Amino acid sequence: MAGPWWRQCPRLTTGCTATNILENLWHLKGRPVSSSASASLLSRASCISRPETRPPTGAQINMKAGNFLIRHQSRLLLPTLQSCCCRATHSDTKPKDPFTLAQKDLTSLYDDIKKELFVSKVELKSLCEYYFDGKGKAIRPMIVVLMARALNIHSNRAGDLLPGQRAIAMISEMIHTASLVHDDVIDGSDKRRGKRTINEVWGEKKAILAGDFILSAASMALARIGNITVVKVLSQVIEDLVRGEFMQLGSKENENERFKHYLEKTFKKTASLIANSCKAVSILVNSDPEVHEIAYQYGKNVGIAFQLVDDVLDFTSGASQLGKPAAADLKLGLATGPVLFACQQFPELHAMIMRRFASKGDVDRAWQYVLQSNGVQQTNYLAQHYCKEAIRQISRLRPSPERDALIRLTEMVLTRDK
Amino acid sequence: MFSPSWSRLSCVALSSRGGLRTLSLFSSSGSSNWSKVVSDAEKIVGYPTSFMSLRCLLSDELSNVAMHLRKLVGTQHPLLNTARGFVYDSKNNLQMRGLVVLLLSKAAGPSHTASDLLAQDMVSGIYPSQRNLAEITELIHTAFLVHRGIVNLKEWTVSDGPLKDMQFGNKMAVLSGDFLLANACTGLAQLNNTKVVELISSAIGDLVQGIYYENSHNTEENGLTDGVDVAAWEEQTFLSHGALLAKSCQAAMELAKHDKESQRLAYKYGKHLSLGHKLNSDLQPFVKSRAGEPLSFSLSAAPVVFHRQIIGRETWHHQLQQAKTLRNQLDYSKLLAAVKSEKGVSTAMDLCCYHGNKALEAIQAFPSSEARSALENIASAVTKF
């Protein structure tokens, strides 16, 4: 049972069996299967009946991942990931850069958002538009339009994006931004994307109202698509975002639970939006729940990988690159992947995690422990693991430039440095 | 004290419907009267609206908040008071909006056009979706009660309590408000009607705009700016206090597939009732002399706003100066006398009756029923002082 994967993470296996951790890593609690969106690999296996598409059990996946990880010790080697696991499923032509490919569908993104944010009060309007200045990466809308096009081709529907799909791309960015505005108040942040935050400039009360307004505008645009299933899927995101934020308030005493808690939080705070937006665009073009599930699983896995890398960058990236101070998470009392892995090598971290790095010198000491450990490396491995699953999922769609760009995107998620 | 035009209007209102029940209801006065109207009305709709709200209040998330709230005791963070309101609130009628939505649903009756709506699903003459809507309306209202109480930390002073606690209070307020709103969003989606989702989402937008205005208005409390006129006051108050109820009433008709005209009338009832209700509560300090209670009122209360507009900026500024005590605090009884000496109070009273009557008028098109009578009683009650 204990394959090479476990030797990579020696501390991971202490105190519990391999299968336990495995389940912790994979068994994120999902939605009921009825609408086909279970986040659990294992339960999904039982609801998809075609034997040839039946995914391997969790153990098999991890064995494979272990083999893979033995061969590739650094995330910089990842470009080979693509060719090593998808050779059989997609063409040899070099996939186009996702940003370039999505560009044509995103040119009017911010103008469209500003139209949705119409309000006569000048100051409220400028607050709401503050982060839609074209300087964000707009990575969520990009994934959504690429996914929509890949799904349209998969569903034999040629031509342009559906209006509803375009709207979902826009709504995904609006929901994301609304939650950023509230997060900045909750965390007391004064800088974001190199700018002063809304709460820093206009005060906390107006910032909260601006976030609420963006959310209401997003919700109206969502309703106007006119598809109640799509409304349900994206409303779930809003609930997940808040529940994820609540999960950040507490620390778990038990190490196993802590990791599970961390991944579940990561799903709710980051991956749910991407997963459900992908699912929503699939609902508009295809009635097959299996296709919805592919879109959802791709989004979920890429989303978790994205956040894991983000958590790594909090330790490895300079303050100037990320647009926010380094070790921001530690300062907020949050123990992310690198710390949780490091804690297995340096049990001294346990007490600090429990007191949320609140004692004097905790942040510096924790920082040192993490850098001395292989926590960063292991978090990167985990991110690779999720990306590999994302690729496996998306590869089930019919080949298209957009599908291949989504595969390429997983690699970019892992190699980004800001 | 009562202006002649007000008593004339209210007499017209009462005699137009007559009825012993109505008269006996209003024999007492003040908030006990209001409470009676509300508790009578609650019996008509079967059970009160607090189920979804209760589910939220009892969730892990909000229990967590409640536990943390203890840290705020002793500080001036507004979240404390809002939270107290969840537990006991007889005066502000936390559930009033939900109740009105239920009564209107019942007054409008079963749908005659929609085949997918079954009369046997109704409980006490109300569709389940309408009950859910009533609860969503309450959730949204409560969410904004909480978000209204976010404190600007740059304005923090020592008397508020430790800065760290105020930051924490804000964090709890943001999270719990967001939690209620998120539950409202998922609840809305479950109503299976995208028109209703759009309508209620737009009401959330209205509410934000109204509260945002309220904010900038309050910072002008130094009295250096002009008062707004009645029309501007109505427009702003509609956003902050009327849009949610008006649109929820309309949505309740849409859920039962009632026609556009019923939707329009329901909207109208909700709108005028809210404005009348707001005027009534703004007027309370000016019509009641509660012995023993410290007198205080908001400078953005309708009678004051109208007063400022009537007497002009300079006179108002002068009156404010005269009402200042040695320690630079406001002597409210002095200011009250100044406001009472002019037409601000009577303007507000006339306006209150006007809106109460408009609400009554809107409800007349619905067939006569117990639920309709209750709605009439509520509309009449807001014109009583």
Side-chain angles (χ1 to χ4, degrees):
Chain A
M1 190 64 197
W5 164 255
W6 309 116
R7 263 175 259 135
Q8 281 295 310
C9 314
R11 291 279 178 165
L12 205 63
T13 53
T14 55
C16 63
T17 67
T19 15
N20 254 340
I21 296 264
L22 204 148
E23 255 156 41
N24 284 340
L25 295 189
W26 280 103
H27 198 90
L28 288 175
K29 254 174 95 190
R31 316 266 140 270
V33 190
S34 62
S35 59
S36 83
S38 165
S40 152
L41 255 189
L42 298 175
S43 68
R44 195 176 44 76
S46 59
C47 75
I48 295 180
S49 51
R50 283 214 316 258
E52 67 271 26
T53 59
R54 196 184 149 88
T57 66
Q60 285 171 310
I61 282 174
N62 280 281
M63 297 287 274
K64 279 200 219 151
N67 285 330
F68 165 75
L69 292 170
I70 275 279
R71 275 182 276 128
H72 309 288
Q73 297 277 323
S74 144
R75 70 186 169 98
L76 293 174
L77 291 173
L78 232 267
T80 49
L81 172 69
Q82 221 189 84
S83 48
C84 94
C85 59
C86 302
R87 205 176 297 139
T89 52
H90 76 114
S91 63
D92 291 330
T93 51
K94 190 174 160 41
K96 251 190 156 175
D97 171 54
F99 287 91
T100 317
L101 195 59
Q103 184 73 55
K104 62 176 184 299
D105 288 321
L106 298 177
T107 45
S108 67
L109 176 76
Y110 292 112
D111 287 337
D112 293 345
I113 290 177
K114 285 177 187 167
K115 276 180 209 150
E116 295 297 331
L117 292 172
F118 181 78
V119 48
S120 58
K121 309 229 160 38
V122 181
E123 192 187 66
L124 178 57
K125 191 167 161 61
S126 58
L127 258 77
C128 291
E129 291 180 352
Y130 190 69
Y131 288 127
F132 301 111
D133 55 0
K135 297 203 179 90
K137 292 184 289 265
I139 197 150
R140 289 158 189 84
M142 179 182 77
I143 294 175
V144 173
V145 296
L146 290 174
M147 178 61 82
R149 286 194 178 269
L151 288 162
N152 291 359
I153 291 168
H154 182 80
S155 319
N156 292 321
R157 197 191 176 284
D160 215 1
L161 288 178
L162 299 167
Q165 293 176 323
R166 202 178 287 279
I168 289 166
M170 177 183 80
I171 290 162
S172 69
E173 187 68 4
M174 292 172 78
I175 294 178
H176 170 61
T177 306
S179 84
L180 287 185
V181 175
H182 281 200
D183 284 0
D184 284 345
V185 175
I186 291 169
D187 299 342
S189 319
D190 53 5
K191 268 191 129 173
R192 149 125 19 227
R193 294 178 188 162
K195 263 167 118 160
R196 292 168 79 203
T197 54
I198 292 186
N199 43 297
E200 176 66 16
V201 182
W202 286 282
E204 284 77 7
K205 193 163 177 179
K206 286 181 175 178
I208 291 309
L209 292 173
D212 289 343
F213 191 81
I214 297 170
L215 190 68
S216 77
S219 181
M220 282 173 74
L222 177 60
R224 277 198 296 268
I225 296 173
N227 183 311
I228 196 66
T229 314
V230 167
V231 174
K232 285 177 189 171
V233 165
L234 285 177
S235 302
Q236 184 59 50
V237 173
I238 297 168
E239 200 180 306
D240 284 344
L241 284 170
V242 187
R243 286 189 192 268
E245 199 62 45
F246 267 101
M247 290 180 79
Q248 278 190 347
L249 289 178
S251 317
K252 293 269 182 249
E253 180 74 41
N254 176 299
E255 281 189 28
N256 261 326
E257 264 182 60
R258 203 185 279 156
F259 219 97
K260 191 177 151 200
H261 191 260
Y262 165 66
L263 286 174
E264 196 180 331
K265 182 225 81 186
T266 302
F267 168 76
K268 287 193 193 303
K269 278 210 69 182
T270 311
S272 172
L273 175 57
I274 304 175
N276 284 301
S277 303
C278 286
K279 185 178 174 182
V281 291
S282 77
I283 289 168
L284 290 178
V285 71
N286 197 306
S287 58
D288 182 359
E290 232 180 274
V291 172
H292 304 165
E293 185 64 11
I294 292 170
Y296 179 90
Q297 287 296 336
Y298 173 84
K300 185 196 105 181
N301 283 284
V302 163
I304 293 177
F306 184 88
Q307 187 57 49
L308 289 171
V309 172
D310 212 55
D311 293 345
V312 163
L313 290 175
D314 199 47
F315 287 94
T316 58
S317 174
S320 56
Q321 270 173 306
L322 219 54
K324 59 178 183 182
D329 292 332
L330 286 180
K331 288 174 190 157
L332 289 171
L334 303 177
T336 57
V339 185
L340 296 180
F341 278 118
C343 183
Q344 313 203 329
Q345 261 170 293
F346 301 103
E348 299 90 323
L349 275 166
H350 177 80
M352 286 189 247
I353 292 173
M354 289 318 292
R355 60 175 181 256
R356 300 176 70 88
F357 314 105
S359 298
K360 200 160 182 286
D362 274 0
V363 170
D364 285 336
R365 259 183 301 153
W367 169 274
Q368 286 306 324
Y369 278 127
V370 169
L371 294 187
Q372 282 167 38
S373 75
N374 56 5
V376 161
Q377 203 183 14
Q378 281 176 315
T379 310
N380 276 324
Y381 288 157
L382 193 57
Q384 290 174 3
H385 193 56
Y386 279 100
C387 278
K388 194 167 168 257
E389 177 59 13
I391 293 171
R392 197 182 70 79
Q393 293 286 343
I394 195 76
S395 299
R396 293 162 66 194
L397 293 184
R398 177 185 296 182
S400 65
E402 284 81 7
R403 186 200 72 165
D404 294 350
L406 285 171
I407 292 172
R408 169 119 170 80
L409 182 81
T410 61
E411 171 192 321
M412 294 168 69
V413 162
L414 293 171
T415 53
R416 76 198 173 102
D417 58 3
K418 56 182 268 184
Chain B
M1 177 73 247
F2 294 158
S3 73
S5 61
W6 174 81
S7 25
R8 182 172 44 78
L9 279 167
S10 67
C11 285
V12 173
L14 282 176
S15 58
S16 68
R17 290 162 303 102
L20 277 172
R21 181 186 160 84
T22 317
L23 288 173
S24 67
L25 261 179
F26 292 111
S27 53
S28 63
S29 64
S31 62
S32 61
N33 169 14
W34 174 257
S35 309
K36 174 133 177 50
V37 176
V38 170
S39 66
D40 279 8
E42 275 180 342
K43 286 170 201 148
I44 297 171
V45 296
Y47 52 88
T49 57
S50 52
F51 287 111
M52 187 188 272
S53 326
L54 251 184
R55 202 187 65 199
C56 276
L57 290 175
L58 296 179
S59 65
D60 284 355
E61 280 80 3
L62 289 194
S63 327
N64 216 333
V65 171
M67 206 179 69
H68 288 304
L69 271 184
R70 264 180 275 172
K71 289 187 202 162
L72 295 182
V73 173
T75 72
Q76 297 296 312
H77 202 287
L79 182 59
L80 263 185
N81 264 324
T82 314
R84 275 188 204 117
F86 291 143
V87 186
Y88 59 94
D89 182 292
S90 55
K91 239 195 247 166
N92 295 322
N93 293 293
L94 213 60
Q95 309 275 316
M96 195 272 279
R97 286 152 199 84
L99 178 64
V100 168
V101 170
L102 292 182
L103 286 170
L104 257 172
S105 303
K106 185 162 183 171
S111 170
H112 298 296
T113 49
S115 54
D116 54 332
L117 289 173
L118 300 172
Q120 68 254 34
D121 288 341
M122 292 178 121
V123 177
S124 303
I126 299 162
Y127 290 110
S129 62
Q130 292 172 320
R131 285 192 185 273
N132 291 336
L133 174 70
E135 292 174 355
I136 290 163
T137 307
E138 287 300 338
L139 284 183
I140 295 170
H141 173 72
T142 312
F144 281 98
L145 281 183
V146 175
H147 276 178
R148 263 185 170 109
I150 306 270
V151 175
N152 286 327
L153 295 173
K154 280 188 180 159
E155 293 155 24
W156 169 81
T157 61
V158 186
S159 64
D160 291 330
L163 182 60
K164 222 177 155 219
D165 289 348
M166 296 304 276
Q167 282 169 332
F168 188 77
N170 266 0
K171 190 170 171 170
M172 290 299 113
V174 175
L175 283 173
S176 31
D178 282 355
F179 182 77
L180 295 169
L181 269 185
N183 277 277
C185 282
T186 41
L188 268 179
Q190 298 304 322
L191 296 178
N192 285 320
N193 184 319
T194 55
K195 272 190 211 158
V196 170
V197 177
E198 189 179 350
L199 193 60
I200 302 299
S201 303
S202 78
I204 297 177
D206 293 342
L207 202 45
V208 174
Q209 290 183 55
I211 297 172
Y212 197 93
Y213 176 82
E214 224 172 54
N215 272 345
S216 35
H217 196 78
N218 284 348
T219 54
E220 291 160 8
E221 275 195 3
N222 52 25
L224 289 176
T225 49
D226 293 329
V228 292
D229 63 15
V230 171
W233 181 89
E234 281 183 311
E235 195 185 314
Q236 285 143 17
T237 307
F238 174 70
L239 291 175
S240 57
H241 287 82
L244 178 61
L245 184 59
K247 289 179 174 179
S248 292
C249 289
Q250 182 186 344
M253 300 299 102
E254 163 66 26
L255 284 174
K257 303 279 179 255
H258 289 301
D259 60 10
K260 283 273 171 292
E261 179 59 10
S262 311
Q263 292 187 28
R264 192 185 67 80
L265 289 167
Y267 175 96
K268 211 176 144 200
Y269 179 84
K271 173 186 163 171
H272 289 294
L273 181 72
S274 310
L275 290 174
H277 185 247
K278 171 71 173 138
L279 281 159
N280 184 298
S281 58
D282 278 8
L283 273 162
Q284 286 304 315
F286 299 88
V287 298
K288 283 255 165 7
S289 51
R290 289 188 184 84
E293 274 182 51
L295 177 71
S296 167
F297 49 87
S298 162
L299 294 189
S300 54
V304 185
V305 172
F306 300 155
H307 175 72
R308 279 159 65 172
Q309 206 237 337
I310 293 165
I311 62 167
R313 172 180 164 166
E314 263 169 45
T315 319
W316 170 243
H317 189 59
H318 181 67
Q319 286 181 345
L320 264 185
Q321 286 305 318
Q322 286 198 318
K324 286 257 166 75
T325 63
L326 287 176
R327 272 173 298 160
N328 212 26
Q329 292 196 317
L330 270 181
D331 179 350
Y332 278 96
S333 53
K334 229 180 205 169
L335 206 55
L336 183 92
V339 173
K340 275 182 172 178
S341 68
E342 276 292 340
K343 288 217 166 349
V345 175
S346 62
T347 308
M349 278 193 160
D350 289 349
L351 198 61
C352 180
C353 286
Y354 167 80
H355 285 296
N357 286 322
K358 278 289 192 187
L360 278 173
E361 199 182 292
I363 204 69
Q364 295 312 311
F366 291 86
S368 174
S369 70
E370 206 182 9
R372 194 187 83 175
S373 304
L375 288 167
E376 288 165 353
N377 292 344
I378 290 175
S380 303
V382 302
T383 66
K384 291 278 176 180
F385 295 93

